[in-house]
Amino acid sequence: MFSTVVKFFRRIISAFVFLTASSERLRKADPQRFSRLSGAVMLLSIVWGLILVCLWELTSHITWLARPGPGLLDERLVSSVICGAAITFGVSYRSAAAFIETFSGNRRLLRWFALAVLAATVATILYYAFRLSNPDRSTHLSQRWIWLWPRALCRVLLVTPVWGAWSMVVLGQFHRPDELTDGPARCFAGTAGPLSAAICLALPLAGTLIFLNFLHPWKHFVPPAVAIATAIGGGTLIVRMHGRLCRQALLAGNFLTQLGFLAAYLIVK
């Protein structure tokens, strides 16, 4: 039992390292530690989604309490900026940086400027995607259980990182590692089979369809469809730009999928 728990936490730590560590650190690590991490990456993304939800609610509440007067400080704007920065510079920082470097190269000043623009873009999407009320019937829960059904945008924030994680799993099904693929990416993609990709897809797909049930009957299919198309189509484009499947391509596809999902929700909401 104890060894199983230790193994579980080791996989979670390895997934965190794969997502957040620098390329230099990964080159020094044993590539085998990044094998069979599909489930760990998905679980870690769910935890990060929950943290984003808590961050939005916390900053919104603090801003509402601290504002000097009605309408003088917009808690929606503050929460959007904070969460936009967290999405870009938090757990997904390496993914955002890889996404930028794919198109602009590894120029440090340009990368930081582009990251700031990317954070502002995400914050803008969140600001305009915010809903003051949830018109779905599921909000008529007792006060004891209302925490299970947060406001609409918070539900979107919860599943967004999960779509990004799934994109990394599914991309390895269409582009197999070769002799030029770095060791960590080869082990990660090589041990994620079609069954793993299908099982992992069930998490964000089911969560999205349930959480977005307040949308028009056909509209709540659009964000997950865009996320799937972005993960496969956009990920394929990124892999071709890199010339091979690699960790940078997996990370860049992760952030692109998150961005596509958020943008799709903004369009149909």
Side-chain angles (χ1 to χ4, degrees):
M1 179 65 179
F2 178 75
S3 61
T4 303
V5 174
V6 171
K7 186 177 181 180
F8 169 78
F9 280 105
R10 281 180 178 174
R11 287 193 174 182
I12 295 296
I13 293 173
S14 295
F16 184 78
V17 170
F18 188 83
L19 289 172
T20 63
S22 64
S23 300
E24 292 74 17
R25 181 178 177 182
L26 257 69
R27 279 195 289 266
K28 299 176 183 178
D30 179 11
Q32 292 301 320
R33 70 176 295 189
F34 304 109
S35 301
R36 304 185 183 281
L37 288 186
S38 300
V41 168
M42 297 297 292
L43 180 59
L44 187 62
S45 68
I46 294 174
V47 173
W48 175 237
L50 289 171
I51 292 174
L52 289 175
V53 171
C54 294
L55 185 61
W56 177 283
E57 295 287 9
L58 181 62
T59 54
S60 179
H61 183 66
I62 292 176
T63 305
W64 184 80
L65 291 176
R67 63 182 179 179
L72 295 181
L73 190 59
D74 188 352
E75 61 265 21
R76 178 178 63 170
L77 177 60
V78 174
S79 296
S80 297
V81 171
I82 295 296
C83 287
I87 291 173
T88 307
F89 296 101
V91 172
S92 297
Y93 165 69
R94 295 291 175 186
S95 298
F99 173 69
I100 290 170
E101 291 170 4
T102 298
F103 298 95
S104 64
N106 191 15
R107 288 174 284 183
R108 189 170 183 178
L109 290 178
L110 179 59
R111 181 183 64 186
W112 282 108
F113 174 77
L115 281 170
V117 172
L118 204 57
T121 301
V122 175
T124 302
I125 292 175
L126 295 179
Y127 180 79
Y128 286 104
F130 180 78
R131 298 182 68 95
L132 293 177
S133 62
N134 301 330
D136 48 319
R137 291 174 297 176
S138 301
T139 54
H140 297 294
L141 296 172
S142 65
Q143 194 63 32
R144 181 180 179 182
W145 301 105
I146 195 66
W147 61 274
L148 291 173
W149 204 260
R151 64 185 80 193
L153 184 59
C154 288
R155 286 176 256 157
V156 173
L157 285 173
L158 176 59
V159 297
T160 296
V162 190
W163 279 113
W166 177 77
S167 73
M168 298 173 63
V169 177
V170 75
L171 198 57
Q173 310 309 310
F174 294 90
H175 306 276
R176 305 309 299 175
D178 58 23
E179 64 277 1
L180 297 177
T181 301
D182 54 286
R186 182 183 298 109
C187 290
F188 177 86
T191 54
L195 182 59
S196 299
I199 293 174
C200 290
L201 174 61
L203 288 174
L205 183 59
T208 302
L209 295 179
I210 293 172
F211 284 161
L212 300 187
N213 67 353
F214 60 89
L215 294 174
H216 188 277
W218 65 267
K219 285 185 177 180
H220 71 294
F221 289 101
V222 174
V226 170
I228 293 172
T230 304
I232 298 174
T236 295
L237 174 62
I238 289 173
V239 169
R240 290 181 177 178
M241 292 181 70
H242 281 274
R244 65 190 182 282
L245 183 69
C246 58
R247 176 178 177 248
Q248 287 293 93
L250 292 173
L251 294 178
N254 180 324
F255 197 85
L256 178 61
T257 302
Q258 293 187 59
L259 199 60
F261 177 75
L262 286 174
Y265 172 71
L266 173 63
I267 292 171
V268 301
K269 85 172 189 66

